[in-house]
Amino acid sequence: MTPQELQHRKRISQQILGRDGEFLSYFRVYDDLVQRNNDFHVTIEAPQVQSITDDSVLLAVGVLRSSFPRTLKETVEHCQQLAASERRPHFHEKALNVACMAMFMIDPAAKENHAADFTVGDYRPSSWRLDETLGAFINRLFPPSLAVSQEAAKVAVGYRAVRARKLQRRLGARFRPTNNLAEHLLFDEKRNSLYVFHHAEFLKAQLSRYQGKTDPLVIGLEQSLAEGALPPQLLVETLYTLQAVLFPSIDPESAQILDELIERRGFDPDCAEYEGYKVFREPPASFRFVFWGERMAHLHQLMRRRPPRNKLERWFHRHSTEGNALFIALLALFISILVGIVSIALNCIQIWMTWYTWKYTP
């Protein structure tokens, strides 16, 4: 890595994440976002449009951190006015998308970046609306479950049921890395794929902002956004699901799956560094999965009723509802009768052959 690249990474990590670090997986995402959006300018838009630079992204980061109550439209206008007052190049609103992704690993244009019919279960990609504040957008992506279901609470206590090795054996699950935190723990039943937000070093960097604070898990969204970070409860739950639920170090098979994902699928190597996934020494007795409880409960339910994985299993699954119970019973009766008739016929043939051998053998 050149000195210029090292300086670039140090500047970004200090101003966005609040500390130095390698952040290998994080910078793959950041650099790709900047490059992709600049390629878009060259191929689609007018050639005089200014490129997205670190300066434009950091300008947007500062605005997001200091003025999060503004709507998206107001935020873009404020960034443009600030750039003009400081005699910077024209601010392009796509720099704000990169800034939002860099700060929170949340795609503010997810709806536009997916096909119109893209769905995973009940999940539909959602974008930041022009008349919506950043806080309202994040609340819409991560609605806290104030009354966690009994099933989710059961999973929160007995999380061993959804370890990686069990998901792989029972569901044939393939673990798919995602850079969008909103897609964490989504299970695509059509492809047997579990989306996993894997940027552990990013999560730890955000959690480090809350070190030393009293009772950090009660810190709300507005105070967190002022820090340039996500709520500690969401960060802790996400890192906890990675390192204590899916890939715990005390489960050698699950830990081996994680090592393979790091080597072959680009998972963040820091996932295998098991220190610092909580901002407290031990989880309090009242700790619950407020944000990821429902998705963990869904995984638990899938483990209990494994979905059909091929055409034959899907056929039986479609025809095994209560409404088709009589059909299944009649089909079973018919098969039993057919097997009985075949057995009788085979016995008759065997008796005849025995008689024939006795009658005509000298």
Side-chain angles (χ1 to χ4, degrees):
M1 189 178 298
T2 66
Q4 291 80 5
E5 290 174 328
L6 287 173
Q7 186 63 28
H8 153 73
R9 293 195 173 192
K10 183 176 181 179
R11 183 187 182 200
I12 295 299
S13 62
Q14 285 180 339
Q15 296 196 38
I16 298 181
L17 302 176
R19 70 180 191 183
D20 293 336
E22 292 187 355
F23 297 102
L24 298 175
S25 298
Y26 175 84
F27 276 107
R28 278 201 298 267
V29 177
Y30 177 87
D31 293 337
D32 179 66
L33 283 170
V34 173
Q35 181 64 44
R36 190 192 317 161
N37 282 288
N38 284 334
D39 289 345
F40 180 83
H41 294 167
V42 172
T43 57
I44 304 298
E45 299 183 0
Q48 67 268 22
V49 174
Q50 294 292 332
S51 298
I52 293 174
T53 63
D54 289 346
D55 286 337
S56 62
V57 173
L58 292 176
L59 181 147
V61 166
V63 171
L64 287 174
R65 184 178 288 132
S66 63
S67 57
F68 56 85
R70 291 189 177 96
T71 65
L72 173 57
K73 182 179 179 181
E74 293 169 342
T75 303
V76 172
E77 291 173 351
H78 185 69
C79 288
Q80 291 172 341
Q81 293 168 3
L82 188 60
S85 67
E86 297 179 0
R87 297 184 178 180
R88 299 189 185 191
H90 175 74
F91 179 85
H92 196 283
E93 64 183 80
K94 287 190 177 295
L96 185 62
N97 290 345
V98 176
C100 186
M101 191 73 180
M103 290 179 73
F104 308 114
M105 298 301 280
I106 295 170
D107 187 356
K111 189 174 182 179
E112 292 75 22
N113 292 334
H114 287 83
D117 59 347
F118 178 84
T119 60
V120 179
D122 296 332
Y123 172 79
R124 305 287 189 280
S126 185
S127 297
W128 187 2
R129 300 166 185 160
L130 283 174
D131 60 348
E132 189 175 41
T133 65
L134 177 60
F137 171 54
I138 293 177
N139 262 328
R140 187 158 52 85
L141 290 181
F142 307 102
S145 302
L146 299 179
V148 181
S149 69
Q150 292 183 355
E151 186 68 22
K154 183 190 300 183
V155 174
V157 175
Y159 53 81
R160 293 179 182 83
V162 290
R163 285 180 177 172
R165 64 178 173 85
K166 293 186 178 180
L167 291 170
Q168 199 172 70
R169 287 178 183 175
R170 179 68 175 163
L171 302 179
R174 293 186 292 270
F175 301 97
R176 179 172 180 173
T178 178
N179 303 320
N180 185 0
L181 183 58
E183 296 177 348
H184 184 54
L185 296 183
L186 287 175
F187 188 76
D188 186 345
E189 296 186 34
K190 295 179 181 178
R191 299 174 180 83
N192 286 341
S193 297
L194 179 67
Y195 288 80
V196 179
F197 180 81
H198 61 101
H199 294 279
E201 193 172 13
F202 164 82
L203 295 170
K204 293 175 186 178
Q206 291 236 322
L207 279 171
S208 68
R209 296 178 182 272
Y210 302 103
Q211 292 295 331
K213 293 186 180 294
T214 303
D215 202 6
L217 293 183
V218 301
I219 296 176
L221 178 61
E222 291 190 3
Q223 185 178 347
S224 301
L225 292 178
E227 296 277 352
L230 292 166
Q233 176 74 33
L234 176 59
L235 297 169
V236 168
E237 285 188 34
T238 307
L239 200 49
Y240 195 77
T241 57
L242 272 174
Q243 296 193 322
V245 177
L246 291 174
F247 309 106
S249 58
I250 60 174
D251 185 340
E253 290 186 48
S254 295
Q256 183 178 357
I257 292 172
L258 176 60
D259 290 340
E260 293 174 356
L261 292 171
I262 291 172
E263 183 179 352
R264 300 177 184 178
R265 297 299 305 275
F267 271 54
D268 184 358
D270 215 62
C271 290
E273 299 295 332
Y274 286 89
E275 90 296 341
Y277 66 79
K278 44 186 181 286
V279 293
F280 33 71
R281 187 173 296 277
E282 292 296 336
S286 59
F287 180 78
R288 294 192 297 179
F289 290 101
V290 176
F291 294 100
W292 302 126
E294 295 300 326
R295 290 187 185 178
M296 289 183 66
H298 180 63
L299 285 175
H300 192 213
Q301 290 169 357
L302 288 175
M303 292 285 286
R304 295 172 61 184
R305 55 165 186 85
R306 180 177 66 84
R309 289 161 55 183
N310 54 53
K311 291 183 179 181
L312 180 61
E313 289 186 3
R314 282 193 288 271
W315 186 90
F316 276 107
H317 181 74
R318 287 196 302 270
H319 293 83
S320 61
T321 61
E322 292 182 4
N324 292 312
L326 179 60
F327 171 78
I328 296 297
L330 291 174
L331 179 61
L333 178 61
F334 173 77
I335 293 174
S336 298
I337 294 173
L338 182 61
V339 170
I341 292 173
V342 171
S343 298
I344 292 171
L346 290 174
N347 287 333
C348 290
I349 293 172
Q350 187 176 9
I351 292 171
W352 180 84
M353 291 180 65
T354 302
W355 175 85
Y356 185 87
T357 303
W358 174 78
K359 179 75 172 176
Y360 295 101
T361 300

